[in-house]
Structures are given as C-alpha cells and as structure tokens.
Amino acid sequence: MRREAKTRSLFSLTWPIFIETLLYMVMGNADTLMLSQYSDHAVAAVGVANQIIALTSFRKKSPTSKRSESGR
C-alpha cells in the first residue's frame, strides 16, 4: 500500500515534465515540417536549434543542476 502511494506521488510530480518534453518535440517537428517547404538550410538550422533547446531544458531539470549553479 505504501509503495503504491509513493509511486502515485512520483507520477504526479513527473507527468508535467513528460508533457513539456513532448510539447518541445512536437514544436520542433512542426517547425521542421513548415520550413521543409522553404529550404534545406532552414531545416538544418532549426534542427540544431532544437537540439540546443533540448539539451538546455534537460540540463535545467537535472538533479545536479542546483549543485553546479551554486558553485560547489
């Protein structure tokens, strides 16, 4: 019973992160789809930008980010 409550609590904390990550991916795919009609260089630029956005958003969510920001 206690383990089930802990799992339910963990899910209630993490589901917004999953939704945010999914929306970032959908946004990147929509940008790529729209720009594919324009030029290959634009698609490449958006792909690189999406990777940078993904890395920085995961960095902000990582448990070690608070330690690295405080200078320890």
Side-chain angles (χ1 to χ4, degrees):
M1 173 103 168
R2 186 163 172 89
R3 183 175 173 92
E4 183 179 320
K6 190 175 185 179
T7 303
R8 202 175 291 158
S9 175
L10 179 63
F11 179 73
S12 67
L13 290 172
T14 57
W15 75 267
I17 295 171
F18 293 135
I19 298 296
E20 181 184 11
T21 303
L22 177 69
L23 290 175
Y24 270 125
M25 290 173 21
V26 168
M27 181 184 68
N29 289 338
D31 289 342
T32 302
L33 182 64
M34 288 186 291
L35 286 173
S36 67
Q37 302 297 317
Y38 183 66
S39 76
D40 291 338
H41 294 291
V43 172
V46 167
V48 170
N50 285 335
Q51 288 179 354
I52 293 170
I53 289 171
L55 288 174
T56 57
S57 71
F58 290 136
R59 174 73 176 130
K60 288 179 185 176
K61 295 173 192 163
S62 71
T64 58
S65 64
K66 290 188 179 190
R67 277 189 252 155
S68 63
E69 290 173 2
S70 64
R72 292 184 190 178

